[in-house]
Amino acid sequence: MGVLPQGFTGCASWLFGVLTLLPDSCMLSSCVRLVPTTVRPVHSLICNSSRSFMDLKTLLSSLNDFASLSFAESWDNVGLLVEPSPPHIVNTLFLTNDLTEEVMEEALQKKADLILSYHPPIFRPMKRITWKTWKERVVIRALENRVGIYSPHTAYDAAPQGVNNWLAKGLGACTSRPIHPSKAPNYPTEGTHRVEFNVNHTQDLDKVMSAMKGIVDVSVASFPARIDDEQQTRISLNCTQKALMQVVAFLSQNRQLYQKTEILSLEKPLLLNTGMGRLCTLDESVSLATMIERIKRHLKLSHIRLALGAGRTLESLVKVVALCAGSGCSVLRGVEADLYLTGEMSHHDTLDAASQGINVILCEHSNTERGFLSDLQDMLGAHLENKINIILSETDRDPLHVI
């Protein structure tokens, strides 16, 4: 949502396409149903024309509620990267895909208090902050002007309402699921392993229970069990990786007990509709030529790069599309599909895909991401209840151009 002129008395809210959960036999228990819809402004009869503000910490909490930073890849550098000395009040949130020096100048001219840069301008550790490199200069200017910098990056890639979901909207009506589903940030129970074994009347139950409870990071439960008409006690305990070594060391002292011990590795549960990439199945197959035009229209591009799969033509049908915004090599590699859609792939990964009959469309890295910011502007406006101005960079663009 753009900045409203002073004294403006109306306001616009927006209607979005609805995500409907459909039962499916895919890897997750449900898929996202994507149906392209036209976004239409709906003018409210009652609207407060004045904007308020948010404290930075409150705003960061709301941003995390919108899309948890726990969704991000472990290698990524997400969250608040530059923080002005507190307290810091945010009246204007400035959205950009890349925070270049040109974009920073624009943000300062527009009185931004916090910049949400999809790509983190600080990724590798900085040993010094000088005027020597452009990234250092961006940090210096942010600090001098009391402007915070926040980056969500792969957290927004994985989010159900995030970048990859937006990219999939350009394909046409389809169902989709993450290629690499995200896992919950925490285990549903204590510990990373479960150890189970039975103790019969010939073994000292009290001694075993006492020993297990004496190990740090172990939670123990017991219940009666009947094995081969013999009354026994079933011991079930959860423990950390470190505690597991101590549990095994104790149990191995009793060969009969240890040989019947089961050790299970606990997995964090998968999060529905959350994760890297999307595998999309179209409701109706279309020609590759038609799909190319849909993608160009969605991304507002006049040109894309195409590698035809072996034996394929522009009239070949496309039913399944595997996509990943940005650089999709690691996500798309090995996925069965008629088409790979991403920003960039290495030469050899492109050759490998084409040799398997998979068409590859490359649109340049940030061209598959930047358009999401317009949707994000509207979604954050609703999520934050229009408490702050949210503006979109006009100078942010992909550094590569077709001439």
Side-chain angles (χ1 to χ4, degrees):
M1 190 174 294
V3 180
L4 297 177
Q6 192 170 14
F8 184 78
T9 57
C11 73
S13 57
W14 300 89
L15 296 178
F16 298 93
V18 178
L19 302 182
T20 305
L21 296 181
L22 295 177
D24 207 322
S25 58
C26 57
M27 177 169 54
L28 300 181
S29 61
S30 60
C31 294
V32 176
R33 182 84 167 89
L34 295 177
V35 181
T37 59
T38 302
V39 179
R40 298 183 177 88
V42 179
H43 295 278
S44 173
L45 296 177
I46 301 176
C47 179
N48 185 357
S49 63
S50 63
R51 299 277 183 176
S52 56
F53 57 84
M54 296 183 73
D55 174 74
L56 177 60
K57 290 185 177 180
T58 302
L59 176 55
L60 293 177
S61 178
S62 294
L63 289 175
N64 195 64
D65 290 340
F66 174 76
S68 173
L69 293 177
S70 66
F71 296 162
E73 296 289 277
S74 59
W75 48 262
D76 207 356
N77 189 37
V78 297
L80 185 63
L81 306 184
V82 173
E83 179 181 11
S85 58
H88 186 62
I89 300 302
V90 177
N91 291 286
T92 299
L93 175 64
F94 182 89
L95 308 182
T96 184
N97 201 78
D98 293 293
L99 183 54
T100 62
E101 288 187 277
E102 182 182 10
V103 172
M104 172 58 82
E105 181 62 33
E106 179 193 5
L108 295 180
Q109 290 179 1
K110 293 181 176 177
K111 308 298 183 184
D113 303 297
L114 179 66
I115 298 172
L116 188 155
S117 175
Y118 167 74
H119 285 138
I122 303 174
F123 190 76
R124 296 181 179 88
M126 290 182 169
K127 293 185 177 181
R128 58 185 60 83
I129 305 294
T130 70
W131 205 248
K132 186 175 182 179
T133 68
W134 72 270
K135 288 189 176 182
E136 292 175 70
R137 292 193 292 271
V138 164
V139 173
I140 290 171
R141 297 206 69 192
L143 290 171
E144 287 179 339
N145 291 276
R146 291 188 54 76
V147 177
I149 301 175
Y150 175 92
S151 176
H153 201 203
T154 53
Y156 278 12
D157 289 346
Q161 75 282 30
V163 181
N164 283 304
N165 193 70
W166 166 81
L167 185 57
K169 290 180 181 179
L171 304 179
C174 64
T175 55
S176 76
R177 62 173 175 84
I179 295 174
H180 297 302
S182 297
K183 294 182 179 180
N186 301 306
Y187 289 92
T189 59
E190 296 179 15
T192 60
H193 291 79
R194 178 167 296 159
V195 181
E196 296 188 347
F197 55 91
N198 293 334
V199 178
N200 59 35
H201 68 279
T202 63
Q203 296 153 334
D204 192 338
L205 176 61
D206 292 337
K207 179 182 177 181
V208 172
M209 292 293 288
S210 178
M212 294 297 100
K213 291 179 178 179
I215 301 175
V216 178
D217 294 328
V218 170
S219 59
V220 187
S222 63
F223 49 90
R226 194 165 189 85
I227 308 296
D228 297 331
D229 293 328
E230 181 182 4
Q231 190 65 34
Q232 299 184 2
T233 299
R234 183 72 169 173
I235 307 297
S236 178
L237 61 89
N238 286 359
C239 62
T240 61
Q241 178 71 45
K242 182 179 179 180
L244 178 63
M245 298 298 101
Q246 299 179 62
V247 171
V248 169
F250 173 82
L251 295 176
S252 62
Q253 297 174 19
N254 186 319
R255 184 177 179 182
Q256 182 182 5
L257 190 65
Y258 185 60
Q259 287 182 340
K260 296 182 179 181
T261 296
E262 296 177 343
I263 301 177
L264 308 174
S265 178
L266 301 180
E267 291 286 339
K268 297 176 181 178
L270 300 180
L271 299 176
L272 293 178
N273 309 315
T274 305
M276 295 300 154
R278 293 293 184 271
L279 188 64
C280 306
T281 303
L282 301 176
D283 287 4
E284 296 183 4
S285 300
V286 297
S287 70
L288 177 59
T290 298
M291 181 56 67
I292 289 172
E293 291 307 311
R294 288 182 181 181
I295 291 169
K296 289 165 66 175
R297 184 165 57 250
H298 184 58
L299 300 184
K300 297 180 173 61
L301 297 176
S302 58
H303 299 83
I304 53 92
R305 290 190 289 164
L306 169 68
L308 277 173
R312 303 293 188 257
T313 70
L314 289 177
E315 297 308 313
S316 296
L317 293 180
V318 173
K319 179 70 172 180
V320 179
V321 181
L323 63 83
C324 180
S327 180
C329 291
S330 60
V331 175
L332 301 179
R333 190 179 294 127
V335 177
E336 294 184 7
D338 301 311
L339 171 67
Y340 286 175
L341 170 61
T342 186
E344 57 181 336
M345 281 178 63
S346 73
H347 174 76
H348 295 288
D349 279 309
T350 303
L351 287 177
D352 288 343
S355 71
Q356 299 170 54
I358 301 172
N359 304 298
V360 178
I361 291 180
L362 305 179
C363 306
E364 306 308 342
H365 189 110
S366 67
N367 288 337
T368 57
E369 304 162 335
R370 184 170 289 102
F372 166 71
L373 295 179
S374 294
D375 280 12
L376 178 65
Q377 184 181 29
D378 295 327
M379 288 189 288
L380 285 182
H383 180 72
L384 301 175
E385 299 176 339
N386 296 315
K387 291 179 180 178
I388 59 174
N389 293 319
I390 303 176
I391 58 179
L392 195 60
S393 173
E394 297 177 5
T395 58
D396 175 44
R397 59 179 59 87
D398 194 274
L400 295 173
H401 302 274
V402 177
I403 60 174

